Amino acid sequence: MTDVVVVGAGSAGCALAARLVDAGRSVLLLEAGTDHRRPEDFPATIREAATMGAAVPGHPANWDLTGELTDGVRWPVPRGKVLGGSSALNGTYFIRATREDCDGWAALGNDLWSADALRPAFDRSEADPLHGTTGPLPVSRVTDPHPITDAFTAACLELGFPAEPDKNADAPPGVGPVPLNVRDGVRVNAAMAYLSPRRDSPGLTVRGDSPVVRVLVEHGRAVGVRTADGTEHRAAEVVLSCGAVGTPHLLMLSGIGPADALRAVGVDVLADVPGVGADVTDHPDLYVTWSPTRRTPMPRGMLPLTTALNTPDHLEVMPWLKPFSKVMLSRSDGHALSGLAEVLRRPGPPSGRCAGPRRPRSGSRPAPATTCTSASRCRPRTAAGRSA
């Protein structure tokens, strides 16, 4: 029997599977999306860090989910459906959890989540020249001069915000370069970093195109999972790492969750756990479109986000160096992906709420760029050190 079955080969699942194999455990890793064995096997839309084409609605590597912010206000929620999960299609912003968040989790009863306890795990996972670490995930920063980032940084400093050369240094927030999981222009996702070097290990079995639809529970204990084709995979231990959306969804499909909600859709209740699927939060974004007074450098391989301002009250401002029409692009044919219009034409929110990004204007003027502003009680930085 397999020692551990891990469901979901995303940012967490890939790292966990690799560490378990290194520790001598046999692991079956199940992923609903496509399996790409080597880094070069991933499509260009996923590999190229200068674009985010896979995050566009309708891309096969995107679950293409929709969230409802308020009644009648819906918003696309891109989630990775491919080996590497959301780390394969996001903006490559690789940020550690904040000390405030970590110590807050520890205060709830698990001191292993404290900032000091987590630091060795972060160090072990990163290859960051600023920290002298040599882990599997490369962390780099773009410090090359650019008129937009130079002007933005100068303005922030003039307004009294401090410089923050390393946003993973547990220092006071300020303006500085964004840490990126990018190497030589390639978005290095979790599968490339953790799974590809171990694909010949006898202890690791990876199966793509294997969506799991139920956790098998016997006598109150998880003993395996069932995939959509009816196959049962049993193991001594079961780990769900399907992400903030996928994991509660799978639990509820398995009858674990709020009893009334499960019964309402015809799911037999195995355990009444009201907290499953509740209280999800994410950072809201406000996109402000603007046009430079003159044309700015925009080479094909230039990354769209390289600098950010973070403030103590959890506000983050990031100037985009490219318009969406050049970021949400398919490099295979040089054209915008079919879902671009949907991304740029968000449904109009009620008065007083943030509007989505606008379609770039056409004409002879320089293409509009965008500034993204995030604010949340959960911080715009990701919760567990994974890339955003």
Side-chain angles (χ1 to χ4, degrees):
M1 177 185 290
T2 301
D3 291 330
V4 185
V5 58
V6 177
V7 182
S11 299
C14 291
L16 177 62
R19 298 302 188 196
L20 288 171
V21 168
D22 290 349
R25 310 290 292 279
S26 61
V27 177
L28 171 61
L29 179 59
L30 300 174
E31 166 57 38
T34 304
D35 175 17
H36 299 291
R37 186 179 180 90
R38 302 171 301 173
E40 57 268 30
D41 295 337
F42 284 85
T45 310
I46 290 177
R47 290 199 315 272
E48 294 186 357
T51 65
M52 294 174 60
V56 171
H59 192 280
N62 186 351
W63 277 101
D64 202 5
L65 305 175
T66 300
E68 186 171 276
L69 305 184
T70 61
D71 291 342
V73 180
R74 298 178 181 275
W75 199 266
V77 181
R79 305 297 298 170
K81 186 183 180 182
V82 65
L83 214 68
S86 296
S87 73
L89 51 84
N90 59 25
T92 72
Y93 192 164
F94 191 92
I95 196 73
R96 292 185 178 189
T98 65
R99 173 171 289 276
E100 177 184 352
D101 285 339
C102 293
D103 290 346
W105 299 330
L108 294 175
N110 189 341
D111 57 6
L112 293 178
W113 281 102
S114 71
D116 292 336
L118 286 176
R119 185 181 297 111
F122 286 134
D123 288 341
R124 187 171 62 167
S125 69
E126 302 165 359
D128 189 340
L130 292 188
H131 299 169
T133 51
T134 58
L137 278 165
V139 181
S140 60
R141 295 160 185 81
V142 176
T143 57
D144 298 334
H146 189 280
I148 293 176
T149 55
D150 292 350
F152 177 79
T153 300
C156 291
L157 296 175
E158 184 178 339
L159 290 171
F161 294 104
E164 189 184 17
D166 181 7
K167 292 187 176 294
N168 285 333
D170 196 16
V175 61
V178 169
L180 305 165
N181 52 295
V182 176
R183 177 185 287 138
D184 299 328
V186 175
R187 174 187 288 104
V188 181
N189 65 57
M192 294 177 180
Y194 284 100
L195 297 185
S196 293
R198 296 169 174 83
R199 292 305 291 263
D200 292 330
S201 171
L204 177 63
T205 301
V206 179
R207 294 185 183 173
D209 300 311
S210 300
V212 173
V213 296
R214 189 172 185 85
V215 177
L216 303 176
V217 178
E218 296 177 356
H219 307 294
R221 183 178 182 277
V223 296
V225 297
R226 180 183 299 132
T227 51
D229 62 3
T231 303
E232 294 187 355
H233 303 274
R234 293 179 174 256
E237 295 181 77
V238 177
V239 177
L240 305 186
S241 57
C242 314
V245 177
T247 291
H249 181 229
L250 178 55
L251 287 171
M252 288 189 282
L253 287 177
S254 306
I256 302 170
D260 291 343
L262 297 180
R263 292 191 184 102
V265 293
V267 175
D268 293 334
V269 177
L270 186 65
D272 181 13
V273 186
V276 174
D279 299 327
V280 63
T281 60
D282 203 346
H283 54 83
D285 293 339
L286 169 65
Y287 294 92
V288 180
T289 304
W290 53 278
S291 296
T293 57
R294 59 185 175 84
R295 293 191 178 277
T296 58
M298 204 176 296
R300 172 171 172 161
M302 185 177 73
L303 302 180
L305 290 172
T306 61
T307 303
L309 167 66
N310 294 93
T311 69
D313 55 355
H314 303 177
L315 179 71
E316 181 173 70
V317 183
M318 297 182 290
W320 286 65
L321 305 184
K322 297 180 177 180
F324 282 110
S325 59
K326 293 186 178 295
V327 177
M328 305 297 184
L329 191 71
S330 173
R331 289 300 186 193
S332 60
D333 57 13
H335 294 87
L337 296 176
S338 60
L340 178 60
E342 184 177 345
V343 171
L344 298 179
R345 293 173 179 164
R346 304 295 191 191
S351 176
R353 295 189 178 274
C354 296
R358 295 178 291 164
R359 175 180 289 279
R361 297 188 299 272
S362 60
S364 58
R365 296 188 65 187
T370 304
T371 296
C372 175
T373 304
S374 301
S376 173
R377 63 186 178 88
C378 290
R379 287 268 189 174
R381 302 182 178 191
T382 52
R386 59 181 175 81
S387 49

